[in-house]
Amino acid sequence: MALNTVLSAQVLPGAILRYTAAIQRLAEAARNKKEPFTWGAFETLYGEQGPIRYVSSVETFDALGKRGSVPELVARVFGAADAPRFLEEVGACIASQSLTVAADRPDLSYLRSPFKPGEFKAAAVTRTRIRPGARESYEELLRKLSEAIPKLDDPSQLMVRQTIVGNVAEYVSIRPLRELRELDAHRTPEQLLIQAFGASEGGLIFRNGGAAIEEIERSIVGYRPDLSNPVA
């Protein structure tokens, strides 16, 4: 079960240019040194303007511990003497930040083939918080969506992650996109369920899954290669 750390950095108003310039230096130095701590950076293109998110994947918590923290990464890349100055520079640009861990849920996902971070230019992302006791209904909704996509030969893919460190009621559903125009051909969740399983069964799955949701937020995010140190 692959793990994904997500560092979310909310940048102060007026500090975005200084902040991105600093992260660009870090990413470039990490790429040049072939630093094994890899990550992909994403910013919101459409939706409520949120933090810049840095997603990094490992296979186990043991691997996560051996990889080390962000300050340790900075020290490896810039050297122990210069790392505190860089961290202070970046910290002065940040209003708030959080670090969560999410687990891949392949049993709730549909991917035609594995892909590397950075392969897709954008993604449609749905962040959902479920109600207490409603996990089974919501996961059934996701499971049936992953069945409906290939059944209908819909061009979309679905990657689901579940937060395990942070708000454990949160799921993230990702539809990777090479171009925004691909969304024109994607069916909505309701369309997928009803067309794949019929109005009665599909409609019931959609309603039960919807009733399990406490809060939902959809956005389209874009990949920032200049802020990333992707997998080689």
Side-chain angles (χ1 to χ4, degrees):
M1 180 175 64
L3 303 174
N4 306 275
T5 62
V6 183
L7 175 62
S8 303
Q10 186 70 52
V11 182
L12 288 166
I16 189 65
L17 293 180
R18 287 185 287 121
Y19 174 79
T20 54
I23 301 302
Q24 285 167 352
R25 297 202 312 272
L26 175 65
E28 182 179 9
R31 292 192 296 266
N32 290 339
K33 287 180 174 285
K34 301 188 184 304
E35 165 62 44
F37 188 149
T38 58
W39 69 88
F42 300 87
E43 65 179 354
T44 302
L45 301 177
Y46 299 95
E48 185 175 352
Q49 296 304 298
I52 297 177
R53 291 186 169 92
Y54 303 89
V55 182
S56 183
S57 298
V58 294
E59 288 301 317
T60 63
F61 277 105
D62 181 55
L64 179 61
K66 291 176 179 176
R67 187 191 70 181
S69 64
V70 172
E72 290 171 332
L73 160 69
V74 174
R76 290 195 299 269
V77 170
F78 289 132
D82 293 332
R85 187 180 303 108
F86 177 85
L87 291 170
E88 183 178 359
E89 176 186 356
V90 170
C93 299
I94 296 175
S96 63
Q97 64 180 6
S98 64
L99 180 60
T100 61
V101 181
D104 283 343
R105 291 293 304 270
D107 56 318
L108 306 179
S109 305
Y110 175 74
L111 296 174
R112 292 181 183 84
S113 60
F115 59 86
K116 295 180 179 180
E119 180 181 349
F120 293 86
K121 295 181 180 179
V125 178
T126 302
R127 298 181 180 276
T128 307
R129 292 183 180 180
I130 61 170
R131 301 183 186 280
R135 192 175 301 277
E136 183 177 343
S137 295
Y138 185 66
E139 289 195 357
E140 178 67 5
L141 169 68
L142 295 174
R143 191 175 291 108
K144 288 298 186 181
L145 286 174
S146 69
E147 292 179 19
I149 291 172
K151 185 173 183 178
L152 297 173
D153 197 25
D154 190 87
S156 64
Q157 300 185 78
L158 179 64
M159 179 168 57
V160 177
R161 292 171 176 169
Q162 178 184 355
T163 299
I164 56 175
V165 178
N167 188 326
V168 296
E170 182 177 83
Y171 290 76
V172 179
S173 303
I174 304 166
R175 290 193 183 196
L177 304 167
R178 288 188 172 86
E179 302 287 346
L180 287 181
R181 63 185 177 184
E182 293 177 10
L183 284 172
D184 292 330
H186 290 188
R187 294 173 174 85
T188 66
E190 185 175 16
Q191 289 171 335
L192 283 168
L193 293 170
I194 289 176
Q195 292 178 27
F197 303 109
S200 178
E201 181 184 358
L204 180 62
I205 295 168
F206 183 75
R207 290 191 297 274
N208 287 344
I213 297 172
E214 184 172 81
E215 183 178 340
I216 187 169
E217 178 186 355
R218 294 189 178 95
S219 61
I220 298 176
V221 303
Y223 177 62
R224 288 288 303 266
D226 58 322
L227 306 181
S228 303
N229 178 32
V231 176

